[in-house]
Amino acid sequence: MSPDVELLRIVSQVGYLACFKSDAKRSQLIMDGVSAIGREQIPIKIGVAVAGIYAGKYDEAINILRNHILAEDPNHMSAKCFLGIALTQKGHKAEAKELFEEVVEHGNQDEKIIAVAYLNN
């Protein structure tokens, strides 16, 4: 049985809401479930990584972003932006800076705004 993409998207949004409401534990639980069902989908992987960042699981987020998403799509600017955020939190500022500079050059407007904010800090 293949998972319904729309249902996974909605459940992912619930995971994001929990994350943004500072409920990292519930967010992680929801995103882990979504990941188990839709693991081949890059948006799902991004969601799991973002939830990991908010939960302080930076190594896990870095692994997903670097070894799963960017290995599959090396030009995924959202993944590079979130990888930069996770690396910043781990203290790897030089590597993060390179990623943010690339996002500023090649990303969409939302990605650029986030990257510029981190570059200016």
Side-chain angles (χ1 to χ4, degrees):
M1 178 168 118
S2 71
D4 179 66
V5 174
E6 182 65 14
L7 178 61
L8 287 174
R9 186 185 64 75
I10 291 168
V11 175
S12 293
Q13 289 176 341
V14 172
Y16 282 126
L17 287 172
C19 184
F20 299 138
K21 291 287 188 178
S22 299
D23 192 346
K25 185 176 180 179
R26 273 201 181 102
S27 174
Q28 193 70 50
L29 181 67
I30 292 166
M31 295 310 287
D32 286 347
V34 169
S35 177
I37 295 168
R39 70 180 72 233
E40 72 284 349
Q41 299 175 20
I42 285 180
I44 300 300
K45 293 176 190 175
I46 290 278
V48 173
V50 169
I53 291 168
Y54 273 86
K57 297 180 177 181
Y58 305 119
D59 291 328
E60 188 176 304
I62 290 167
N63 177 51
I64 292 167
L65 294 163
R66 184 179 278 150
N67 300 323
H68 297 273
I69 299 168
L70 290 171
E72 185 177 330
D73 182 358
N75 296 312
H76 198 288
M77 291 298 125
S78 288
K80 289 185 179 197
C81 191
F82 288 118
L83 179 57
I85 292 169
L87 289 168
T88 298
Q89 295 301 316
K90 290 284 294 181
H92 303 287
K93 296 186 189 258
E95 187 178 357
K97 182 178 184 271
E98 288 179 24
L99 289 165
F100 291 136
E101 288 171 346
E102 184 178 354
V103 170
V104 167
E105 187 174 333
H106 301 290
N108 67 32
Q109 191 61 34
D110 292 336
E111 295 158 346
K112 288 178 182 183
I113 289 168
I114 294 168
V116 167
Y118 274 87
L119 284 170
N120 290 332
N121 281 331

